[in-house]
Amino acid sequence: MSNAQQMLETHPQAFAVDGAAIARCVDACLECAQTCTACADACLGEEMAAELAKCIRLNQDCADVCTAAGRVAGRQTAYDANVSVAILQACAAACRACGDECERHAQMHAHCRICAASCRACEQACNDLAAAIA
Amino acid sequence: MSNAQQMLETHPQAFAVDGAAIARCVDACLECAQTCTACADACLGEEMAAELAKCIRLNQDCADVCTAAGRVAGRQTAYDANVSVAILQACAAACRACGDECERHAQMHAHCRICAASCRACEQACNDLAAAIA
Amino acid sequence: MSNAQQMLETHPQAFAVDGAAIARCVDACLECAQTCTACADACLGEEMAAELAKCIRLNQDCADVCTAAGRVAGRQTAYDANVSVAILQACAAACRACGDECERHAQMHAHCRICAASCRACEQACNDLAAAIA
Amino acid sequence: MSNAQQMLETHPQAFAVDGAAIARCVDACLECAQTCTACADACLGEEMAAELAKCIRLNQDCADVCTAAGRVAGRQTAYDANVSVAILQACAAACRACGDECERHAQMHAHCRICAASCRACEQACNDLAAAIA
């Protein structure tokens, strides 16, 4: 059981949405934020860094949006469905764009292959939680 | 001329959207993120903090989403319109929810009055930039 | 093997410090950032939220500093030891303060008990990595 | 009067440190975080991006640490001097490293010249506030 799940189980309030779906989304957002930060850094360390500018840019955006989405999704007190769904949709959009770009050079760069998989998993978890909320 | 505007004017690449609209949005996101962080803290310092839980919660969400939106909107290299519009829409949604809540106790708490104004301005700037992009 | 560890193993450059110590620190920072965000939210949802103001405040600080430390520690390209050690020390200080405060009501609130353990683990991982760098 | 200053003046609690020094530091952290985010992006958009890897790396670190420092410094409720001083010192270290690096190509890249000035101002404001606290 992840820490996110444990924290949800000890929260003083009941919540409308399935706790397991929330925990999966929070964990996926955190992992994707870290993986994208690391992929931007690995791309920047490649000799061909200038050709990876689009990947670095999308990695940075995706890391920032995933960080915000993971924080919002992890809060249950005085929950606002509109805010939650909007940031989950933005996170899914960032993960889709970044995952598509990483996939393009997954054959050449193993860090992009791992990052693409992390983006796909996070996109799915955000879409699942948004669907459970709406 | 704000720092954000100066940084845009010295960027090596041309961008499709009006630089002044970008700078207004970036500046509004940063200011709203700070104001919401400070409003959450001020609410937490009130004797009636427990009754302000919804305001504190929305302040925190709004600060996190504004921080992400300001970072994404401030980047011009290898720009992705879908990602930008999605996070701007999420930011406008967070600002609307937080601005509405702050306005409810603007008479009682001056920090909520200032914060509501900051949220309204940021919501507008995000909507304007999203419209210019789309 | 965590995602952070996998990303380090596929990085194009060699690094001076043991990759396993870096990965442990990055993972601990991310987990602590999330746990502190969730603990602030759980405290805010308690009826006695106003009495937990100090815990909520330190949770928020710790979440913000851990997020920054995890990002910096996860980057290996063009590494600057002074910057890395300084943010790791700041993170250890935030974890110590937040862990101490959470421990004070660990008997009453299970979320504070889990959070205190997460803060202790992160403090240790940051101190270990700072010692390996210096 | 900046928004940060206004928010401090409407805070329900008294604070030990001069409000003007706090507001200057918060404003400097926010501005430096944005300028560093924009400088990383501008460097990435240069044809010689690969040669600017060290600048991009330090810009990202500085943006992350400034964001955390600005948030912590902007909170006054249940204030912990140790946590505040530690993150202000880390921020000053990040600003020094990033300012030094940006200054090295300030002649060639106007965005680095502006960013170096922003880093110097933020380093000073963090050191001033840390001295006022300690």
Side-chain angles (χ1 to χ4, degrees), chain A residues 49-121:
Chain A
E51 297 167 56
L52 295 168
K54 188 176 176 57
C55 195
I56 295 171
R57 159 69 203 260
L58 286 169
N59 279 150
Q60 292 175 314
D61 284 0
C62 198
D64 291 338
V65 179
C66 285
T67 297
R71 285 176 166 231
V72 172
R75 295 187 186 113
Q76 312 309 321
T77 298
Y79 158 88
D80 182 300
N82 285 339
V83 174
S84 295
V85 169
I87 187 65
L88 291 171
Q89 287 175 334
C91 194
C95 289
R96 193 171 329 122
C98 189
D100 285 352
E101 180 61 26
C102 277
E103 217 163 74
R104 256 172 229 128
H105 16 90
Q107 301 281 356
M108 189 176 278
H109 303 298
H111 48 82
C112 289
R113 183 177 46 73
I114 298 167
C115 193
S118 192
C119 288
R120 297 310 184 201

Side-chain angles (χ1 to χ4, degrees), chain B residues 1 8 18-19 21 36 62 68-69 73 79 85 96 110 112 121 125 128 133:
Chain B
M1 186 160 62
L8 289 166
D18 174 41
C36 285
C62 198
Y79 160 87
V85 168
R96 192 170 331 120
C112 290
D128 288 350
I133 291 172

Side-chain angles (χ1 to χ4, degrees), chain A residues 1-6 9:
Chain A
M1 186 160 62
S2 81
N3 244 48
Q5 178 97 36
Q6 285 181 60
E9 296 198 354

Side-chain angles (χ1 to χ4, degrees), chain D residues 3-127:
Chain D
N3 243 48
Q5 178 97 36
Q6 285 182 59
M7 290 303 286
L8 288 166
E9 296 197 354
T10 60
H11 196 284
Q13 302 187 345
F15 17 102
V17 186
D18 174 41
I22 301 172
R24 271 195 302 273
C25 184
V26 169
D27 286 332
C29 286
L30 291 178
E31 182 175 287
C32 194
Q34 199 284 317
T35 308
C36 285
T37 300
C39 192
D41 180 72
C43 288
L44 188 65
E46 299 282 355
E47 283 180 37
M48 60 182 291
E51 297 167 55
L52 295 168
K54 188 175 176 58
C55 196
I56 295 172
R57 160 70 203 260
L58 287 169
N59 280 149
Q60 291 176 314
D61 284 0
C62 198
D64 291 338
V65 179
C66 284
T67 298
R71 284 176 167 233
V72 172
R75 295 187 185 112
Q76 312 309 322
T77 298
Y79 159 88
D80 182 301
N82 285 340
V83 174
S84 295
V85 169
I87 186 66
L88 291 171
Q89 288 175 334
C91 194
C95 289
R96 193 170 330 121
C98 189
D100 285 351
E101 180 61 27
C102 277
E103 215 162 75
R104 255 171 229 130
H105 14 89
Q107 301 281 356
M108 189 176 277
H109 303 299
H111 47 82
C112 289
R113 183 176 45 73
I114 298 168
C115 192
S118 192
C119 289
R120 298 309 183 201
C122 189
E123 181 188 351
Q124 186 66 53
C126 287
N127 282 332

Side-chain angles (χ1 to χ4, degrees), chain B residues 42-52 109 111, chain C residues 47 49-51 53, chain D residues 12-13:
Chain B
C43 287
L44 188 65
E46 298 282 356
E47 282 179 37
M48 62 183 289
E51 296 168 55
L52 295 168
H109 303 299
H111 48 81
Chain C
E47 282 179 39
E51 296 168 57
Chain D
Q13 302 187 345

Side-chain angles (χ1 to χ4, degrees), chain B:
Chain B
M1 186 160 62
S2 82
N3 244 48
Q5 178 96 36
Q6 285 182 60
M7 291 303 286
L8 289 166
E9 296 198 354
T10 60
H11 197 285
Q13 302 187 344
F15 15 103
V17 184
D18 174 41
I22 299 172
R24 270 196 303 274
C25 183
V26 169
D27 285 333
C29 286
L30 291 178
E31 182 175 287
C32 193
Q34 199 284 317
T35 308
C36 285
T37 299
C39 193
D41 180 72
C43 287
L44 188 65
E46 298 282 356
E47 282 179 37
M48 62 183 289
E51 296 168 55
L52 295 168
K54 188 176 177 58
C55 196
I56 295 171
R57 158 70 202 260
L58 287 169
N59 279 151
Q60 292 176 313
D61 284 0
C62 198
D64 292 338
V65 179
C66 284
T67 298
R71 284 176 166 232
V72 172
R75 295 187 185 112
Q76 312 310 322
T77 298
Y79 160 87
D80 184 300
N82 285 340
V83 174
S84 295
V85 168
I87 187 65
L88 291 171
Q89 287 175 334
C91 193
C95 289
R96 192 170 331 120
C98 188
D100 285 352
E101 180 61 26
C102 276
E103 216 163 75
R104 253 171 231 129
H105 15 90
Q107 301 281 355
M108 189 176 278
H109 303 299
H111 48 81
C112 290
R113 183 177 44 73
I114 298 167
C115 193
S118 192
C119 289
R120 297 310 183 201
C122 189
E123 181 188 352
Q124 187 66 52
C126 287
N127 283 333
D128 288 350
L129 184 56
I133 291 172

